[in-house]
Amino acid sequence: MTRHFITIDALSREQLVAICAAAREVDASVLEHDEIALVFERPSLRTRAAAATAVHDLGGRVTFFGDDEIGLDSRESAEDIGRTLAQMYSVAAMRLRRHADFERIRRATQDSLALINLMSERAHPTQALADVLTIADYLADGDVTGLAGVRVAYLGDVTNVARSLAVALLLLGASVSLAAPAPYQLADSAVEDPRAISGELTLTESIPEALEGADVVYTDTWISMGLEAEAARRRQDLGAFQVNDATLALASPGAIVMHCLPAHRGEEITDDVLDGPQSVVWRQVFHRRSAMRGALRWIKEEDQ
Ligand code: CP
Ligand code: NVA
């Protein structure tokens, strides 16, 4: 059975813990005979860099395809792109506009091509892996099984990043509060829904409620890729949810501050906080590469 890595909610807690352990290892024999396609329908710095360097760590080779080259559903169908890639690649790691296209490609290739989600509008699972590795480094001596009881507050638009992060944290026994104005709260979706995971999840409009006792304060952009037309309204609606010195003072003393990046300094987070002593954003970036190793090892393990 081909394994895929498309959402965190497809994993058991044990599988998530195993992937996090594998993420920290470098073994150049894992992808020795593998060609990996990296497909990006949207821009990327960190994810592309992490995917390319992680494949190199594991001994494989990558080809990069941008949006214009691939032309998903404009130049040819998602199904035919998948069928084509499956002739030459063992793995396609893809950043797609529409999450549902993973399923189209999976069906069309009859599971002959392993798929990794490098972000869709619904989920960003490799980011979530990097984030739990980072939290573990700061709060649990690097052991993700030590995250039980850690309190994580997320402020702002409840994005793809927030969804995957919340699912991963709940699987690991952390408690999660998502604070957002009602229209920006967790959307109903069959995919990567933290409400489907048992654990301590709070959805609130109250910033003080979310931040009380928080060990981690996390935020993401208010204007995710594809939502640029709503920028002005979003800045207005979400302004009160900025992570700044005043909001940070409501969390536990010494709480760590996280952001998936790219940051919009002065919008969802201030320079002072992003560049301040509590920020761990560069460690998150470091672990993007570890996380990609974990995801790649996970899908290859089945072959071995
Ligand atoms: N955090 C993240 O996915 O960054 P990129 O969009 O630059 O890949
Ligand atoms: N929520 C953001 C994450 C970027 C890494 C987006 O979808 O654009």
Side-chain angles (χ1 to χ4, degrees):
M1 260 293 277
T2 302
R3 272 184 179 167
H4 306 285
F5 184 80
I6 297 175
T7 54
I8 300 288
D9 68 6
L11 303 172
S12 66
R13 172 193 156 83
E14 291 66 33
Q15 289 170 331
L16 177 57
V17 169
I19 292 170
C20 289
R24 295 186 188 269
E25 290 170 24
V26 177
D27 174 351
S29 68
V30 173
L31 297 177
E32 212 173 355
H33 304 292
D34 284 87
E35 299 277 353
I36 316 294
L38 303 183
V39 177
F40 285 83
E41 279 203 281
R42 293 200 184 280
S44 168
L45 171 60
R46 279 147 290 272
T47 309
R48 180 176 172 180
T53 53
V55 169
H56 186 79
D57 287 342
L58 300 180
R61 294 195 296 192
V62 296
T63 314
F64 174 83
F65 301 93
D67 187 30
D68 290 345
E69 292 158 295
I70 204 98
L72 196 150
D73 284 342
S74 56
R75 189 163 183 270
E76 62 191 313
S77 69
E79 286 83 358
D80 285 352
I81 290 169
R83 291 179 186 114
T84 299
L85 292 175
Q87 303 306 312
M88 287 172 244
Y89 297 90
S90 53
V91 180
M94 312 180 95
R95 173 167 284 191
L96 298 180
R97 288 196 176 84
R98 289 174 305 272
H99 191 88
D101 289 344
F102 282 108
E103 183 58 18
R104 290 172 63 198
I105 295 169
R106 192 190 69 72
R107 280 175 193 234
T109 55
Q110 297 175 318
D111 288 316
S112 62
L113 181 66
L115 302 176
I116 297 180
N117 179 3
L118 298 181
M119 197 181 91
S120 67
E121 84 285 16
R122 284 287 176 243
H124 199 353
T126 64
Q127 178 74 51
L129 287 183
D131 293 341
V132 296
L133 289 167
T134 302
I135 298 171
D137 281 355
Y138 284 89
L139 302 179
D141 295 324
D143 177 5
V144 294
T145 66
L147 296 189
V150 167
R151 301 176 72 85
V152 180
Y154 177 96
L155 299 194
D157 188 23
V158 178
T159 60
N160 42 10
V161 168
R163 301 179 74 93
S164 291
L165 175 68
V167 170
L169 287 167
L170 291 170
L171 282 174
L172 295 169
S175 84
V176 179
S177 292
L178 303 174
Y184 300 90
Q185 222 354 311
L186 190 60
D188 286 335
S189 166
V191 174
E192 205 77 311
D193 188 342
R195 284 168 293 214
I197 312 293
S198 65
E200 205 179 313
L201 173 69
T202 304
L203 307 183
T204 180
E205 289 192 57
S206 163
I207 295 166
E209 182 190 353
L211 287 173
E212 192 183 353
D215 306 301
V216 179
V217 179
Y218 200 115
T219 192
D220 182 11
T221 182
W222 296 334
I223 303 149
S224 284
M225 298 178 216
L227 299 176
E228 292 79 7
E230 300 173 17
R233 182 161 55 80
R234 287 175 159 266
R235 286 191 186 102
Q236 193 170 6
D237 292 349
L238 288 154
F241 287 77
Q242 183 186 66
V243 175
N244 54 35
D245 286 330
T247 47
L248 196 51
L250 299 171
S252 285
I256 59 171
V257 175
M258 302 181 71
H259 190 309
C260 55
L261 305 177
H264 303 78
R265 291 164 174 267
E267 293 189 14
E268 74 275 5
I269 192 163
T270 57
D271 283 332
D272 282 355
V273 172
L274 191 71
D275 300 330
Q278 289 165 260
S279 169
V280 300
V281 297
W282 305 116
R283 187 71 179 168
Q284 289 177 263
V285 175
F286 168 84
H287 273 316
R288 295 301 307 279
R289 179 175 178 171
S290 326
M292 275 304 303
R293 284 198 304 264
L296 287 160
R297 291 181 66 116
W298 157 254
I299 57 171
K300 284 302 293 178
E301 213 173 67
E302 196 58 20
D303 295 349
Q304 287 161 12

